[in-house]
Amino acid sequence: MVFKPAFSQTEFMINGVVLNSSNQKLENAVVQDLTSGKTVITDQSGAYAIHNLSSGRHTLVVRLLGYESQSDTVDIVSYSTKKRFYTD
């Protein structure tokens, strides 16, 4: 599973796309921010967005039936874009 978070400057948002190792977009994957307690589901294009986050360290977990769960820590300190890659 590939997990690509990015940041938005104006409202502290983490967004990205969840893909499998063949770069297919994964719909209905659960993306949870353990720090804020917010959970979202990816859309048809594998995209997700978690809004209204505070700056600081966030732990994200991605789950989808048939795939191993993936987690990562993302630091929101200012505007920046970061990509994380995971494989299933």
Side-chain angles (χ1 to χ4, degrees):
M1 189 170 7
V2 177
F3 173 50
K4 300 179 181 179
F7 303 108
S8 172
Q9 180 181 8
T10 58
E11 62 177 12
F12 292 115
M13 168 180 67
I14 299 174
N15 63 359
V17 177
V18 178
L19 308 168
N20 67 14
S21 59
S22 301
N23 284 328
Q24 295 173 317
K25 297 168 183 172
L26 298 177
E27 182 179 3
N28 295 319
V30 175
V31 181
Q32 182 178 20
D33 177 5
L34 298 179
T35 306
S36 70
K38 295 182 180 189
T39 301
V40 297
I41 306 294
T42 58
D43 65 15
Q44 303 174 228
S45 61
Y48 69 92
I50 305 172
H51 297 273
N52 299 317
L53 298 174
S54 60
S55 61
R57 181 163 286 177
H58 292 262
T59 300
L60 302 179
V61 177
V62 179
R63 294 181 184 91
L64 182 63
L65 188 63
Y67 292 87
E68 190 172 322
S69 294
Q70 302 288 324
S71 64
D72 196 15
T73 301
V74 178
D75 290 316
I76 300 175
V77 291
S78 64
Y79 175 75
S80 62
T81 300
K82 296 183 180 181
K83 293 184 180 179
R84 305 279 199 272
F85 299 93
Y86 303 91
T87 58
D88 54 343

PDB file of all heavy atoms in Angstrom, residues 42-68:
ATOM      1  N   THR A  42     -11.024   6.813   2.180  1.00  0.00           N
ATOM      2  CA  THR A  42     -10.605   7.254   0.853  1.00  0.00           C
ATOM      3  C   THR A  42     -11.756   7.158  -0.144  1.00  0.00           C
ATOM      4  O   THR A  42     -12.623   6.298  -0.040  1.00  0.00           O
ATOM      5  CB  THR A  42      -9.406   6.432   0.324  1.00  0.00           C
ATOM      6  OG1 THR A  42      -9.762   5.047   0.293  1.00  0.00           O
ATOM      7  CG2 THR A  42      -8.175   6.632   1.188  1.00  0.00           C
ATOM      8  N   ASP A  43     -11.742   8.073  -1.127  1.00  0.00           N
ATOM      9  CA  ASP A  43     -12.781   8.095  -2.152  1.00  0.00           C
ATOM     10  C   ASP A  43     -12.394   7.167  -3.309  1.00  0.00           C
ATOM     11  O   ASP A  43     -11.428   6.416  -3.214  1.00  0.00           O
ATOM     12  CB  ASP A  43     -13.047   9.532  -2.617  1.00  0.00           C
ATOM     13  CG  ASP A  43     -11.861  10.184  -3.317  1.00  0.00           C
ATOM     14  OD1 ASP A  43     -10.899   9.474  -3.713  1.00  0.00           O
ATOM     15  OD2 ASP A  43     -11.883  11.422  -3.475  1.00  0.00           O
ATOM     16  N   GLN A  44     -13.145   7.232  -4.418  1.00  0.00           N
ATOM     17  CA  GLN A  44     -12.909   6.365  -5.582  1.00  0.00           C
ATOM     18  C   GLN A  44     -11.509   6.483  -6.132  1.00  0.00           C
ATOM     19  O   GLN A  44     -10.980   5.539  -6.709  1.00  0.00           O
ATOM     20  CB  GLN A  44     -13.862   6.712  -6.726  1.00  0.00           C
ATOM     21  CG  GLN A  44     -15.282   6.644  -6.429  1.00  0.00           C
ATOM     22  CD  GLN A  44     -16.097   7.149  -7.614  1.00  0.00           C
ATOM     23  OE1 GLN A  44     -16.946   7.918  -7.403  1.00  0.00           O
ATOM     24  NE2 GLN A  44     -15.871   6.748  -8.822  1.00  0.00           N
ATOM     25  N   SER A  45     -10.898   7.655  -5.972  1.00  0.00           N
ATOM     26  CA  SER A  45      -9.561   7.873  -6.512  1.00  0.00           C
ATOM     27  C   SER A  45      -8.481   7.617  -5.463  1.00  0.00           C
ATOM     28  O   SER A  45      -7.320   7.956  -5.670  1.00  0.00           O
ATOM     29  CB  SER A  45      -9.440   9.287  -7.071  1.00  0.00           C
ATOM     30  OG  SER A  45      -9.658  10.235  -6.053  1.00  0.00           O
ATOM     31  N   GLY A  46      -8.863   7.030  -4.328  1.00  0.00           N
ATOM     32  CA  GLY A  46      -7.903   6.731  -3.266  1.00  0.00           C
ATOM     33  C   GLY A  46      -7.510   7.941  -2.447  1.00  0.00           C
ATOM     34  O   GLY A  46      -6.644   7.870  -1.587  1.00  0.00           O
ATOM     35  N   ALA A  47      -8.156   9.085  -2.701  1.00  0.00           N
ATOM     36  CA  ALA A  47      -7.790  10.343  -2.038  1.00  0.00           C
ATOM     37  C   ALA A  47      -8.457  10.461  -0.671  1.00  0.00           C
ATOM     38  O   ALA A  47      -9.549   9.947  -0.436  1.00  0.00           O
ATOM     39  CB  ALA A  47      -8.193  11.526  -2.908  1.00  0.00           C
ATOM     40  N   TYR A  48      -7.756  11.171   0.228  1.00  0.00           N
ATOM     41  CA  TYR A  48      -8.293  11.466   1.545  1.00  0.00           C
ATOM     42  C   TYR A  48      -7.815  12.845   1.963  1.00  0.00           C
ATOM     43  O   TYR A  48      -6.830  13.368   1.432  1.00  0.00           O
ATOM     44  CB  TYR A  48      -7.830  10.424   2.582  1.00  0.00           C
ATOM     45  CG  TYR A  48      -6.360  10.518   2.867  1.00  0.00           C
ATOM     46  CD1 TYR A  48      -5.888  11.314   3.913  1.00  0.00           C
ATOM     47  CD2 TYR A  48      -5.430   9.853   2.082  1.00  0.00           C
ATOM     48  CE1 TYR A  48      -4.532  11.446   4.148  1.00  0.00           C
ATOM     49  CE2 TYR A  48      -4.082   9.973   2.316  1.00  0.00           C
ATOM     50  CZ  TYR A  48      -3.637  10.772   3.349  1.00  0.00           C
ATOM     51  OH  TYR A  48      -2.289  10.907   3.571  1.00  0.00           O
ATOM     52  N   ALA A  49      -8.518  13.444   2.927  1.00  0.00           N
ATOM     53  CA  ALA A  49      -8.103  14.723   3.513  1.00  0.00           C
ATOM     54  C   ALA A  49      -8.599  14.758   4.956  1.00  0.00           C
ATOM     55  O   ALA A  49      -9.761  14.457   5.223  1.00  0.00           O
ATOM     56  CB  ALA A  49      -8.668  15.894   2.728  1.00  0.00           C
ATOM     57  N   ILE A  50      -7.708  15.110   5.861  1.00  0.00           N
ATOM     58  CA  ILE A  50      -8.063  15.290   7.270  1.00  0.00           C
ATOM     59  C   ILE A  50      -7.867  16.771   7.564  1.00  0.00           C
ATOM     60  O   ILE A  50      -6.756  17.286   7.488  1.00  0.00           O
ATOM     61  CB  ILE A  50      -7.187  14.420   8.190  1.00  0.00           C
ATOM     62  CG1 ILE A  50      -7.264  12.949   7.773  1.00  0.00           C
ATOM     63  CG2 ILE A  50      -7.625  14.598   9.645  1.00  0.00           C
ATOM     64  CD1 ILE A  50      -6.289  12.039   8.503  1.00  0.00           C
ATOM     65  N   HIS A  51      -8.963  17.456   7.886  1.00  0.00           N
ATOM     66  CA  HIS A  51      -8.974  18.909   8.052  1.00  0.00           C
ATOM     67  C   HIS A  51      -8.887  19.339   9.516  1.00  0.00           C
ATOM     68  O   HIS A  51      -9.118  18.547  10.416  1.00  0.00           O
ATOM     69  CB  HIS A  51     -10.262  19.491   7.460  1.00  0.00           C
ATOM     70  CG  HIS A  51     -10.398  19.268   5.997  1.00  0.00           C
ATOM     71  ND1 HIS A  51      -9.876  20.129   5.067  1.00  0.00           N
ATOM     72  CD2 HIS A  51     -10.978  18.271   5.295  1.00  0.00           C
ATOM     73  CE1 HIS A  51     -10.131  19.680   3.854  1.00  0.00           C
ATOM     74  NE2 HIS A  51     -10.801  18.551   3.965  1.00  0.00           N
ATOM     75  N   ASN A  52      -8.608  20.637   9.675  1.00  0.00           N
ATOM     76  CA  ASN A  52      -8.628  21.301  10.986  1.00  0.00           C
ATOM     77  C   ASN A  52      -7.704  20.640  12.006  1.00  0.00           C
ATOM     78  O   ASN A  52      -8.098  20.360  13.129  1.00  0.00           O
ATOM     79  CB  ASN A  52     -10.057  21.380  11.525  1.00  0.00           C
ATOM     80  CG  ASN A  52     -10.956  22.174  10.608  1.00  0.00           C
ATOM     81  OD1 ASN A  52     -10.571  23.229  10.111  1.00  0.00           O
ATOM     82  ND2 ASN A  52     -12.138  21.660  10.363  1.00  0.00           N
ATOM     83  N   LEU A  53      -6.479  20.418  11.601  1.00  0.00           N
ATOM     84  CA  LEU A  53      -5.495  19.818  12.489  1.00  0.00           C
ATOM     85  C   LEU A  53      -4.609  20.888  13.102  1.00  0.00           C
ATOM     86  O   LEU A  53      -4.366  21.926  12.498  1.00  0.00           O
ATOM     87  CB  LEU A  53      -4.624  18.822  11.718  1.00  0.00           C
ATOM     88  CG  LEU A  53      -5.366  17.634  11.115  1.00  0.00           C
ATOM     89  CD1 LEU A  53      -4.415  16.816  10.259  1.00  0.00           C
ATOM     90  CD2 LEU A  53      -6.009  16.788  12.192  1.00  0.00           C
ATOM     91  N   SER A  54      -4.112  20.615  14.278  1.00  0.00           N
ATOM     92  CA  SER A  54      -3.162  21.523  14.912  1.00  0.00           C
ATOM     93  C   SER A  54      -1.755  21.179  14.419  1.00  0.00           C
ATOM     94  O   SER A  54      -1.511  20.093  13.900  1.00  0.00           O
ATOM     95  CB  SER A  54      -3.228  21.371  16.431  1.00  0.00           C
ATOM     96  OG  SER A  54      -2.911  20.043  16.801  1.00  0.00           O
ATOM     97  N   SER A  55      -0.840  22.122  14.589  1.00  0.00           N
ATOM     98  CA  SER A  55       0.542  21.836  14.230  1.00  0.00           C
ATOM     99  C   SER A  55       1.090  20.822  15.233  1.00  0.00           C
ATOM    100  O   SER A  55       0.518  20.609  16.293  1.00  0.00           O
ATOM    101  CB  SER A  55       1.379  23.114  14.237  1.00  0.00           C
ATOM    102  OG  SER A  55       1.377  23.674  15.529  1.00  0.00           O
ATOM    103  N   GLY A  56       2.185  20.187  14.875  1.00  0.00           N
ATOM    104  CA  GLY A  56       2.799  19.202  15.756  1.00  0.00           C
ATOM    105  C   GLY A  56       2.881  17.844  15.088  1.00  0.00           C
ATOM    106  O   GLY A  56       2.675  17.699  13.886  1.00  0.00           O
ATOM    107  N   ARG A  57       3.174  16.853  15.891  1.00  0.00           N
ATOM    108  CA  ARG A  57       3.375  15.486  15.396  1.00  0.00           C
ATOM    109  C   ARG A  57       2.044  14.733  15.351  1.00  0.00           C
ATOM    110  O   ARG A  57       1.293  14.732  16.313  1.00  0.00           O
ATOM    111  CB  ARG A  57       4.354  14.757  16.308  1.00  0.00           C
ATOM    112  CG  ARG A  57       4.652  13.339  15.854  1.00  0.00           C
ATOM    113  CD  ARG A  57       5.879  12.823  16.504  1.00  0.00           C
ATOM    114  NE  ARG A  57       6.992  13.509  15.832  1.00  0.00           N
ATOM    115  CZ  ARG A  57       8.255  13.358  16.155  1.00  0.00           C
ATOM    116  NH1 ARG A  57       8.597  12.587  17.152  1.00  0.00           N
ATOM    117  NH2 ARG A  57       9.193  14.006  15.494  1.00  0.00           N
ATOM    118  N   HIS A  58       1.786  14.111  14.208  1.00  0.00           N
ATOM    119  CA  HIS A  58       0.564  13.331  14.009  1.00  0.00           C
ATOM    120  C   HIS A  58       0.943  11.919  13.581  1.00  0.00           C
ATOM    121  O   HIS A  58       1.810  11.745  12.721  1.00  0.00           O
ATOM    122  CB  HIS A  58      -0.316  13.970  12.935  1.00  0.00           C
ATOM    123  CG  HIS A  58      -0.884  15.283  13.359  1.00  0.00           C
ATOM    124  ND1 HIS A  58      -2.151  15.411  13.856  1.00  0.00           N
ATOM    125  CD2 HIS A  58      -0.336  16.523  13.399  1.00  0.00           C
ATOM    126  CE1 HIS A  58      -2.365  16.673  14.180  1.00  0.00           C
ATOM    127  NE2 HIS A  58      -1.273  17.369  13.899  1.00  0.00           N
ATOM    128  N   THR A  59       0.301  10.939  14.179  1.00  0.00           N
ATOM    129  CA  THR A  59       0.512   9.548  13.802  1.00  0.00           C
ATOM    130  C   THR A  59      -0.677   9.102  12.969  1.00  0.00           C
ATOM    131  O   THR A  59      -1.819   9.149  13.430  1.00  0.00           O
ATOM    132  CB  THR A  59       0.661   8.649  15.041  1.00  0.00           C
ATOM    133  OG1 THR A  59       1.779   9.108  15.801  1.00  0.00           O
ATOM    134  CG2 THR A  59       0.890   7.195  14.641  1.00  0.00           C
ATOM    135  N   LEU A  60      -0.402   8.693  11.729  1.00  0.00           N
ATOM    136  CA  LEU A  60      -1.444   8.251  10.812  1.00  0.00           C
ATOM    137  C   LEU A  60      -1.372   6.746  10.641  1.00  0.00           C
ATOM    138  O   LEU A  60      -0.285   6.172  10.548  1.00  0.00           O
ATOM    139  CB  LEU A  60      -1.279   8.917   9.450  1.00  0.00           C
ATOM    140  CG  LEU A  60      -1.291  10.447   9.431  1.00  0.00           C
ATOM    141  CD1 LEU A  60      -1.091  10.939   8.009  1.00  0.00           C
ATOM    142  CD2 LEU A  60      -2.574  10.993  10.015  1.00  0.00           C
ATOM    143  N   VAL A  61      -2.547   6.127  10.594  1.00  0.00           N
ATOM    144  CA  VAL A  61      -2.653   4.689  10.349  1.00  0.00           C
ATOM    145  C   VAL A  61      -3.604   4.496   9.178  1.00  0.00           C
ATOM    146  O   VAL A  61      -4.668   5.117   9.124  1.00  0.00           O
ATOM    147  CB  VAL A  61      -3.190   3.941  11.592  1.00  0.00           C
ATOM    148  CG1 VAL A  61      -3.353   2.462  11.304  1.00  0.00           C
ATOM    149  CG2 VAL A  61      -2.266   4.151  12.784  1.00  0.00           C
ATOM    150  N   VAL A  62      -3.206   3.629   8.228  1.00  0.00           N
ATOM    151  CA  VAL A  62      -4.041   3.316   7.069  1.00  0.00           C
ATOM    152  C   VAL A  62      -4.377   1.829   7.131  1.00  0.00           C
ATOM    153  O   VAL A  62      -3.492   0.992   7.295  1.00  0.00           O
ATOM    154  CB  VAL A  62      -3.306   3.635   5.749  1.00  0.00           C
ATOM    155  CG1 VAL A  62      -4.177   3.285   4.552  1.00  0.00           C
ATOM    156  CG2 VAL A  62      -2.893   5.089   5.707  1.00  0.00           C
ATOM    157  N   ARG A  63      -5.681   1.538   6.987  1.00  0.00           N
ATOM    158  CA  ARG A  63      -6.149   0.153   7.039  1.00  0.00           C
ATOM    159  C   ARG A  63      -7.089  -0.115   5.869  1.00  0.00           C
ATOM    160  O   ARG A  63      -7.900   0.736   5.512  1.00  0.00           O
ATOM    161  CB  ARG A  63      -6.926  -0.105   8.331  1.00  0.00           C
ATOM    162  CG  ARG A  63      -6.104  -0.014   9.587  1.00  0.00           C
ATOM    163  CD  ARG A  63      -6.983  -0.312  10.811  1.00  0.00           C
ATOM    164  NE  ARG A  63      -6.238  -0.147  12.039  1.00  0.00           N
ATOM    165  CZ  ARG A  63      -6.158   0.987  12.731  1.00  0.00           C
ATOM    166  NH1 ARG A  63      -6.790   2.059  12.316  1.00  0.00           N
ATOM    167  NH2 ARG A  63      -5.445   1.044  13.841  1.00  0.00           N
ATOM    168  N   LEU A  64      -6.974  -1.313   5.319  1.00  0.00           N
ATOM    169  CA  LEU A  64      -7.901  -1.755   4.280  1.00  0.00           C
ATOM    170  C   LEU A  64      -7.909  -3.273   4.293  1.00  0.00           C
ATOM    171  O   LEU A  64      -6.834  -3.904   4.335  1.00  0.00           O
ATOM    172  CB  LEU A  64      -7.485  -1.230   2.896  1.00  0.00           C
ATOM    173  CG  LEU A  64      -8.406  -1.595   1.731  1.00  0.00           C
ATOM    174  CD1 LEU A  64      -9.797  -0.988   1.918  1.00  0.00           C
ATOM    175  CD2 LEU A  64      -7.818  -1.136   0.404  1.00  0.00           C
ATOM    176  N   LEU A  65      -9.088  -3.862   4.281  1.00  0.00           N
ATOM    177  CA  LEU A  65      -9.234  -5.308   4.291  1.00  0.00           C
ATOM    178  C   LEU A  65      -8.403  -5.928   3.171  1.00  0.00           C
ATOM    179  O   LEU A  65      -8.453  -5.468   2.027  1.00  0.00           O
ATOM    180  CB  LEU A  65     -10.711  -5.679   4.125  1.00  0.00           C
ATOM    181  CG  LEU A  65     -11.061  -7.148   4.297  1.00  0.00           C
ATOM    182  CD1 LEU A  65     -10.735  -7.608   5.719  1.00  0.00           C
ATOM    183  CD2 LEU A  65     -12.526  -7.378   3.992  1.00  0.00           C
ATOM    184  N   GLY A  66      -7.618  -6.928   3.505  1.00  0.00           N
ATOM    185  CA  GLY A  66      -6.775  -7.597   2.522  1.00  0.00           C
ATOM    186  C   GLY A  66      -5.364  -7.043   2.440  1.00  0.00           C
ATOM    187  O   GLY A  66      -4.529  -7.582   1.730  1.00  0.00           O
ATOM    188  N   TYR A  67      -5.090  -5.957   3.180  1.00  0.00           N
ATOM    189  CA  TYR A  67      -3.770  -5.330   3.198  1.00  0.00           C
ATOM    190  C   TYR A  67      -3.274  -5.231   4.634  1.00  0.00           C
ATOM    191  O   TYR A  67      -4.066  -5.125   5.565  1.00  0.00           O
ATOM    192  CB  TYR A  67      -3.820  -3.915   2.604  1.00  0.00           C
ATOM    193  CG  TYR A  67      -4.108  -3.885   1.126  1.00  0.00           C
ATOM    194  CD1 TYR A  67      -5.419  -3.869   0.657  1.00  0.00           C
ATOM    195  CD2 TYR A  67      -3.068  -3.876   0.203  1.00  0.00           C
ATOM    196  CE1 TYR A  67      -5.696  -3.841  -0.695  1.00  0.00           C
ATOM    197  CE2 TYR A  67      -3.341  -3.848  -1.155  1.00  0.00           C
ATOM    198  CZ  TYR A  67      -4.647  -3.835  -1.604  1.00  0.00           C
ATOM    199  OH  TYR A  67      -4.906  -3.807  -2.942  1.00  0.00           O
ATOM    200  N   GLU A  68      -1.972  -5.223   4.776  1.00  0.00           N
ATOM    201  CA  GLU A  68      -1.379  -5.008   6.089  1.00  0.00           C
ATOM    202  C   GLU A  68      -1.516  -3.528   6.452  1.00  0.00           C
ATOM    203  O   GLU A  68      -1.323  -2.649   5.612  1.00  0.00           O
ATOM    204  CB  GLU A  68       0.109  -5.384   6.033  1.00  0.00           C
ATOM    205  CG  GLU A  68       0.772  -5.422   7.379  1.00  0.00           C
ATOM    206  CD  GLU A  68       2.190  -5.974   7.292  1.00  0.00           C
ATOM    207  OE1 GLU A  68       2.412  -6.914   6.511  1.00  0.00           O
ATOM    208  OE2 GLU A  68       3.042  -5.440   8.010  1.00  0.00           O
TER     209      GLU A  68
END
